[in-house]
Coordinates of all heavy atoms in Angstrom, one line a residue:
M1 N 1.1 -2.3 -17.1 CA 1.7 -1.6 -16.1 C 2.8 -0.6 -16.7 O 3.4 -0.9 -17.7 CB 2.4 -2.4 -15.1 CG 1.5 -3.4 -14.4 SD 0.5 -2.5 -13.2 CE 1.2 -2.6 -11.7
T2 N 3.0 0.5 -16.1 CA 3.8 1.5 -16.4 C 5.0 1.6 -15.4 O 4.8 1.5 -14.3 CB 3.2 2.9 -16.4 OG1 2.2 2.8 -17.4 CG2 4.2 4.0 -17.0
E3 N 6.2 1.7 -16.0 CA 7.3 1.7 -15.1 C 8.3 2.9 -15.4 O 8.5 3.2 -16.5 CB 8.4 0.4 -15.4 CG 9.3 0.2 -14.3 CD 10.1 -1.0 -14.6 OE1 9.6 -2.1 -14.3 OE2 11.3 -0.9 -15.0
V4 N 8.5 3.6 -14.2 CA 9.3 4.8 -14.4 C 10.4 4.8 -13.4 O 10.2 4.1 -12.3 CB 8.5 6.2 -14.3 CG1 7.4 6.3 -15.4 CG2 7.7 6.2 -13.0
T5 N 11.5 5.5 -13.8 CA 12.5 5.6 -12.7 C 12.7 7.1 -12.4 O 12.9 7.9 -13.3 CB 13.9 5.0 -13.2 OG1 13.5 3.6 -13.4 CG2 14.9 5.1 -12.1
W6 N 12.6 7.5 -11.1 CA 12.8 8.9 -10.9 C 14.0 9.0 -9.9 O 14.3 8.2 -9.2 CB 11.6 9.4 -10.0 CG 10.3 9.6 -10.8 CD1 10.3 9.7 -12.2 CD2 8.9 9.7 -10.3 NE1 8.9 9.8 -12.5 CE2 8.2 9.8 -11.4 CE3 8.4 9.7 -9.1 CZ2 6.7 9.9 -11.3 CZ3 7.1 9.7 -8.9 CH2 6.2 10.0 -10.0
K7 N 14.6 10.2 -10.0 CA 15.6 10.6 -9.1 C 15.1 11.4 -7.9 O 14.3 12.3 -8.2 CB 16.7 11.3 -9.7 CG 17.9 11.6 -8.9 CD 19.2 11.8 -9.7 CE 20.3 11.7 -8.7 NZ 21.4 12.5 -9.0
V8 N 15.3 10.9 -6.7 CA 14.6 11.5 -5.5 C 15.7 11.9 -4.6 O 16.6 11.1 -4.1 CB 13.8 10.5 -4.8 CG1 13.1 11.2 -3.5 CG2 12.6 10.1 -5.7
E9 N 15.9 13.2 -4.3 CA 16.9 13.8 -3.4 C 16.3 13.6 -1.8 O 15.2 13.7 -1.6 CB 17.1 15.2 -3.8 CG 17.8 15.4 -5.1 CD 19.2 15.1 -5.0 OE1 19.8 14.4 -4.1 OE2 19.9 15.2 -6.2
G10 N 17.4 13.5 -1.0 CA 17.0 13.7 0.4 C 16.9 12.3 1.2 O 16.8 12.1 2.3
M11 N 17.0 11.2 0.4 CA 16.9 9.9 1.1 C 18.3 9.4 1.5 O 19.3 9.4 0.7 CB 16.3 8.7 0.0 CG 15.1 9.1 -0.6 SD 14.5 7.7 -1.7 CE 15.7 7.7 -3.0
T12 N 18.5 9.1 2.8 CA 19.8 8.8 3.2 C 19.9 7.5 4.0 O 20.9 7.0 4.2 CB 20.3 9.9 4.3 OG1 19.2 10.0 5.3 CG2 20.4 11.3 3.6
C13 N 18.8 6.9 4.3 CA 18.9 5.7 5.2 C 17.7 4.7 4.9 O 16.8 5.1 4.1 CB 19.0 6.0 6.7 SG 17.6 6.7 7.3
G14 N 17.8 3.7 5.6 CA 16.7 2.6 5.4 C 15.3 3.2 5.9 O 14.3 2.8 5.3
H15 N 15.4 4.2 6.7 CA 14.0 4.8 7.1 C 13.4 5.5 5.9 O 12.3 5.5 5.6 CB 14.2 5.8 8.5 CG 13.0 6.5 8.6 ND1 11.8 6.0 9.3 CD2 12.6 7.8 8.3 CE1 11.0 7.0 9.3 NE2 11.4 8.0 8.6
C16 N 14.3 6.3 5.3 CA 13.9 7.1 4.1 C 13.4 6.2 3.1 O 12.3 6.4 2.4 CB 15.0 7.8 3.5 SG 15.7 9.1 4.7
K17 N 14.1 5.1 2.8 CA 13.8 4.0 1.8 C 12.3 3.5 2.1 O 11.5 3.5 1.1 CB 14.7 2.9 1.8 CG 14.6 1.8 1.0 CD 15.7 0.8 1.0 CE 15.4 -0.6 0.8 NZ 15.0 -1.0 -0.5
Q18 N 12.2 3.1 3.4 CA 10.8 2.7 3.8 C 9.8 3.6 3.7 O 8.6 3.4 3.2 CB 10.9 2.2 5.2 CG 11.4 0.8 5.4 CD 11.1 0.1 6.7 OE1 11.0 1.0 7.7 NE2 11.0 -1.1 6.9
A19 N 10.1 4.9 4.0 CA 9.0 5.9 3.9 C 8.5 6.1 2.6 O 7.4 6.5 2.3 CB 9.6 7.3 4.6
V20 N 9.6 6.2 1.5 CA 9.2 6.3 0.1 C 8.4 5.4 -0.4 O 7.4 5.4 -1.1 CB 10.4 6.7 -0.7 CG1 10.3 6.7 -2.1 CG2 11.1 8.0 -0.2
E21 N 8.9 4.0 0.0 CA 8.1 2.9 -0.5 C 6.7 2.8 -0.1 O 5.8 2.5 -0.9 CB 8.9 1.6 -0.3 CG 10.2 1.6 -1.0 CD 11.1 0.3 -0.7 OE1 10.9 -0.4 0.3 OE2 12.1 0.1 -1.6
K22 N 6.5 3.0 1.3 CA 5.2 3.1 1.9 C 4.3 4.2 1.2 O 3.1 3.9 1.0 CB 5.4 3.3 3.3 CG 4.0 3.2 4.0 CD 4.4 3.0 5.5 CE 3.0 2.9 6.4 NZ 2.6 4.3 6.8
A23 N 4.9 5.4 0.9 CA 4.2 6.5 0.4 C 3.6 6.1 -1.0 O 2.5 6.4 -1.4 CB 4.9 7.7 0.3
V24 N 4.6 5.5 -1.7 CA 4.2 5.2 -3.2 C 3.1 4.1 -3.1 O 2.1 4.1 -3.8 CB 5.3 4.7 -3.9 CG1 5.1 4.2 -5.3 CG2 6.5 5.8 -4.2
Q25 N 3.3 3.1 -2.3 CA 2.3 2.1 -2.1 C 0.8 2.6 -1.8 O -0.1 2.2 -2.4 CB 2.7 1.2 -1.0 CG 2.3 -0.2 -1.2 CD 3.0 -1.3 -0.2 OE1 3.3 -0.9 0.9 NE2 3.3 -2.3 -0.7
E26 N 0.8 3.6 -0.8 CA -0.3 4.2 -0.5 C -1.1 4.9 -1.6 O -2.2 5.2 -1.6 CB -0.2 4.9 0.8 CG 0.0 4.1 2.0 CD 0.3 4.9 3.3 OE1 0.6 6.1 3.2 OE2 0.4 4.2 4.3
A27 N -0.1 5.5 -2.5 CA -0.7 6.3 -3.7 C -1.1 5.2 -4.7 O -1.5 5.6 -5.8 CB 0.4 7.2 -4.1
G28 N -0.9 4.0 -4.6 CA -1.4 3.0 -5.5 C -0.3 2.3 -6.4 O -0.7 1.7 -7.4
G29 N 0.9 2.6 -6.2 CA 2.0 2.1 -6.9 C 3.0 1.1 -6.2 O 2.6 0.9 -5.0
E30 N 4.0 0.6 -6.7 CA 5.0 -0.1 -6.2 C 6.4 0.6 -6.3 O 6.6 1.1 -7.5 CB 5.1 -1.5 -7.0 CG 3.9 -2.4 -6.5 CD 4.1 -3.1 -5.1 OE1 5.3 -3.3 -4.8 OE2 3.0 -3.3 -4.6
A31 N 7.2 0.7 -5.4 CA 8.4 1.4 -5.4 C 9.7 0.5 -5.1 O 9.5 -0.3 -4.0 CB 8.5 2.7 -4.6
K32 N 10.6 0.7 -5.8 CA 11.9 0.0 -5.4 C 13.0 1.1 -5.2 O 13.3 1.8 -6.3 CB 12.3 -1.0 -6.3 CG 12.7 -2.3 -5.7 CD 13.1 -3.4 -6.7 CE 14.4 -4.1 -6.1 NZ 15.2 -4.5 -7.0
V33 N 13.5 1.3 -4.1 CA 14.4 2.5 -3.8 C 15.9 1.9 -4.0 O 16.2 0.8 -3.2 CB 14.2 3.2 -2.4 CG1 15.2 4.1 -2.2 CG2 12.8 3.8 -2.4
D34 N 16.6 2.6 -4.6 CA 18.1 2.4 -4.6 C 18.8 3.6 -3.9 O 18.9 4.7 -4.6 CB 18.7 2.1 -5.9 CG 20.1 1.7 -6.0 OD1 20.5 0.6 -5.4 OD2 21.0 2.6 -6.3
L35 N 19.3 3.3 -2.7 CA 19.8 4.5 -2.0 C 21.1 5.0 -2.6 O 21.3 6.3 -2.6 CB 20.0 4.2 -0.5 CG 18.8 4.2 0.4 CD1 19.2 3.6 1.8 CD2 18.1 5.5 0.6
G36 N 21.9 4.1 -3.1 CA 23.3 4.4 -3.7 C 23.1 5.3 -4.8 O 23.7 6.5 -4.8
S37 N 22.1 5.1 -5.8 CA 22.0 6.0 -6.9 C 20.9 7.0 -6.7 O 20.6 7.9 -7.5 CB 21.7 5.1 -8.2 OG 20.5 4.4 -8.0
K38 N 20.2 7.0 -5.6 CA 19.0 7.8 -5.2 C 17.9 7.6 -6.2 O 17.1 8.6 -6.6 CB 19.5 9.3 -5.3 CG 20.5 9.6 -4.1 CD 20.8 11.0 -4.1 CE 21.9 11.5 -3.1 NZ 22.6 12.7 -3.2
Q39 N 17.9 6.5 -6.7 CA 16.7 6.4 -7.8 C 15.7 5.4 -7.2 O 16.0 4.6 -6.5 CB 17.3 5.7 -8.9 CG 18.1 6.6 -9.9 CD 18.6 6.1 -11.1 OE1 19.0 4.9 -11.3 NE2 18.8 7.0 -12.1
V40 N 14.5 5.8 -7.6 CA 13.3 5.0 -7.3 C 12.7 4.4 -8.5 O 12.2 5.3 -9.3 CB 12.3 5.9 -6.4 CG1 11.1 5.1 -6.0 CG2 13.1 6.6 -5.3
K41 N 12.4 3.3 -8.6 CA 11.8 2.5 -9.6 C 10.3 2.4 -9.2 O 10.0 1.8 -8.3 CB 12.4 1.2 -10.0 CG 12.0 0.7 -11.3 CD 12.5 -0.8 -11.5 CE 13.9 -0.8 -12.1 NZ 14.4 -2.1 -12.5
I42 N 9.4 2.9 -10.0 CA 8.1 2.9 -9.6 C 7.3 2.2 -10.7 O 7.5 2.4 -11.9 CB 7.6 4.3 -9.5 CG1 8.3 5.0 -8.3 CG2 6.1 4.4 -9.3 CD1 8.2 6.5 -8.2
T43 N 6.4 1.3 -10.3 CA 5.5 0.6 -11.2 C 4.1 1.0 -10.8 O 3.7 1.0 -9.6 CB 5.8 -0.8 -11.0 OG1 7.0 -1.1 -11.2 CG2 5.0 -1.7 -12.2
Y44 N 3.3 1.4 -11.7 CA 1.9 1.6 -11.4 C 1.1 1.3 -12.7 O 1.5 1.2 -13.8 CB 1.7 3.1 -11.0 CG 2.1 4.1 -12.1 CD1 1.2 4.6 -12.9 CD2 3.4 4.5 -12.3 CE1 1.4 5.5 -13.9 CE2 3.9 5.4 -13.2 CZ 2.7 6.0 -14.1 OH 3.1 6.8 -15.0
D45 N -0.3 1.1 -12.3 CA -1.3 0.9 -13.5 C -1.8 2.3 -13.9 O -2.5 2.9 -13.2 CB -2.4 0.1 -12.9 CG -3.4 -0.3 -13.9 OD1 -3.5 0.3 -15.0 OD2 -4.3 -1.1 -13.7
N46 N -1.4 2.7 -15.2 CA -1.7 4.0 -15.6 C -3.3 4.3 -15.9 O -3.7 5.3 -16.1 CB -0.9 4.5 -16.7 CG -1.1 3.8 -17.9 OD1 -1.7 2.8 -18.0 ND2 -0.5 4.4 -18.9
A47 N -4.0 3.0 -15.8 CA -5.5 3.3 -16.0 C -6.1 3.6 -14.6 O -7.1 4.1 -14.6 CB -6.1 1.9 -16.3
K48 N -5.3 3.4 -13.5 CA -6.0 3.7 -12.3 C -5.2 4.9 -11.4 O -5.8 5.5 -10.6 CB -5.8 2.4 -11.4 CG -6.7 1.3 -11.9 CD -6.6 0.0 -11.0 CE -7.3 -1.0 -11.6 NZ -6.9 -2.3 -11.0
V49 N -3.9 5.0 -11.7 CA -3.1 5.8 -11.0 C -2.4 6.9 -11.8 O -1.9 6.7 -12.8 CB -2.0 5.0 -10.1 CG1 -1.3 5.9 -9.3 CG2 -2.6 3.8 -9.4
Q50 N -2.5 8.2 -11.2 CA -1.8 9.2 -11.9 C -0.4 9.3 -11.3 O -0.3 9.4 -10.1 CB -2.6 10.5 -11.7 CG -3.9 10.5 -12.4 CD -4.7 11.8 -12.3 OE1 -4.6 12.3 -11.3 NE2 -5.4 12.2 -13.4
P51 N 0.6 9.5 -12.2 CA 2.0 9.6 -11.6 C 2.0 10.8 -10.7 O 2.9 10.9 -9.8 CB 2.7 9.7 -12.9 CG 1.9 9.9 -14.0 CD 0.5 9.3 -13.5
E52 N 1.3 12.0 -11.1 CA 1.5 13.1 -10.2 C 1.0 12.8 -8.7 O 1.6 13.4 -7.7 CB 0.5 14.3 -10.6 CG 0.8 14.7 -12.0 CD 0.5 13.9 -13.1 OE1 -0.5 13.1 -13.0 OE2 1.2 13.8 -14.2
K53 N 0.0 11.9 -8.5 CA -0.2 11.5 -7.1 C 1.0 10.9 -6.4 O 1.1 11.0 -5.2 CB -1.5 10.6 -7.1 CG -2.7 11.2 -7.7 CD -3.4 12.1 -6.7 CE -4.6 12.8 -7.2 NZ -4.9 13.9 -6.3
I54 N 1.5 10.0 -7.2 CA 2.8 9.3 -6.6 C 3.9 10.2 -6.3 O 4.4 10.2 -5.1 CB 3.2 8.3 -7.5 CG1 2.2 7.1 -7.7 CG2 4.6 7.7 -7.0 CD1 2.6 6.1 -8.7
R55 N 4.2 11.2 -7.2 CA 5.1 12.3 -6.9 C 4.7 13.1 -5.6 O 5.6 13.3 -4.8 CB 5.1 13.1 -8.2 CG 6.2 14.3 -8.1 CD 6.1 15.1 -9.3 NE 6.6 14.5 -10.5 CZ 7.9 14.7 -11.1 NH1 8.6 15.5 -10.5 NH2 8.2 14.0 -12.1
E56 N 3.5 13.5 -5.5 CA 3.0 14.3 -4.5 C 3.2 13.5 -3.2 O 3.6 14.0 -2.1 CB 1.5 14.5 -4.4 CG 1.3 15.8 -5.3 CD -0.3 16.0 -5.7 OE1 -1.1 15.5 -4.9 OE2 -0.5 16.5 -6.7
A57 N 2.9 12.2 -3.1 CA 3.1 11.4 -2.0 C 4.6 11.3 -1.4 O 4.7 11.4 -0.3 CB 2.5 10.0 -2.2
I58 N 5.4 11.2 -2.5 CA 6.8 11.1 -2.0 C 7.2 12.5 -1.5 O 7.9 12.6 -0.4 CB 7.7 10.9 -3.3 CG1 7.5 9.4 -3.8 CG2 9.2 11.0 -2.9 CD1 8.2 9.0 -5.1
E59 N 6.7 13.6 -2.2 CA 7.1 14.9 -1.7 C 6.6 15.3 -0.2 O 7.1 16.0 0.6 CB 6.9 16.0 -2.7 CG 7.8 15.6 -3.9 CD 7.6 16.8 -5.1 OE1 6.7 17.5 -5.2 OE2 8.7 16.9 -5.8
D60 N 5.4 14.8 0.0 CA 4.8 14.9 1.3 C 5.5 14.4 2.4 O 5.3 14.7 3.5 CB 3.2 14.3 1.2 CG 2.3 15.2 0.6 OD1 2.6 16.3 0.2 OD2 1.3 14.6 0.3
Q61 N 6.3 13.4 2.0 CA 7.1 12.8 3.1 C 8.4 13.6 3.2 O 9.3 13.3 4.1 CB 7.7 11.4 2.7 CG 6.5 10.4 2.5 CD 5.8 10.1 3.9 OE1 6.5 9.9 4.9 NE2 4.4 10.3 3.9
G62 N 8.7 14.5 2.5 CA 9.7 15.5 2.7 C 11.0 15.3 1.6 O 12.0 15.8 2.0
Y63 N 10.8 14.5 0.7 CA 11.8 14.2 -0.2 C 11.4 15.0 -1.6 O 10.3 15.3 -1.8 CB 11.9 12.8 -0.6 CG 12.1 11.9 0.8 CD1 11.1 11.3 1.3 CD2 13.2 12.1 1.5 CE1 11.2 10.6 2.5 CE2 13.4 11.4 2.6 CZ 12.4 10.6 3.1 OH 12.6 10.0 4.4
D64 N 12.5 15.1 -2.4 CA 12.4 15.9 -3.6 C 12.5 15.0 -4.8 O 13.6 14.5 -5.0 CB 13.5 16.9 -3.7 CG 13.1 18.3 -3.6 OD1 11.9 18.5 -3.7 OD2 13.9 19.1 -3.3
V65 N 11.5 15.0 -5.7 CA 11.5 14.3 -6.8 C 12.2 15.2 -7.9 O 11.5 16.1 -8.2 CB 10.1 13.7 -7.3 CG1 10.3 13.0 -8.6 CG2 9.5 12.9 -6.2
V66 N 13.3 14.9 -8.3 CA 14.1 15.9 -9.1 C 14.0 15.4 -10.6 O 14.2 16.3 -11.6 CB 15.5 16.1 -8.8 CG1 15.5 16.8 -7.4 CG2 16.3 14.8 -8.7
S67 N 13.6 14.3 -11.0 CA 13.5 14.0 -12.4 C 12.6 12.6 -12.5 O 12.5 11.9 -11.5 CB 14.8 13.7 -13.0 OG 15.4 12.5 -12.5
Ligands
CU101 CU1 16.6 8.3 6.5

C-alpha cells in the first residue's frame, strides 16, 4: 500500500470531510481527513489505483488539491 498526504483547500466542516472521504473511497482508496490542518492522508494500492484518479475525484467534489 502507498500512503500519501495531500493538502486540500476548501474543506470547512464535517460534510466536506465526508464528501472527500467518500470520493476517495469510490476512487479505490482510503482517506482520513484532518480539517484543522486541511490535510488528507490517503492510502491506496498502487498496483490498482492511480493517484490521479483520486485527485480528480476530490476535485470533482469542488475541493482543491494543492499538494
Ligand atoms: Cu463543509
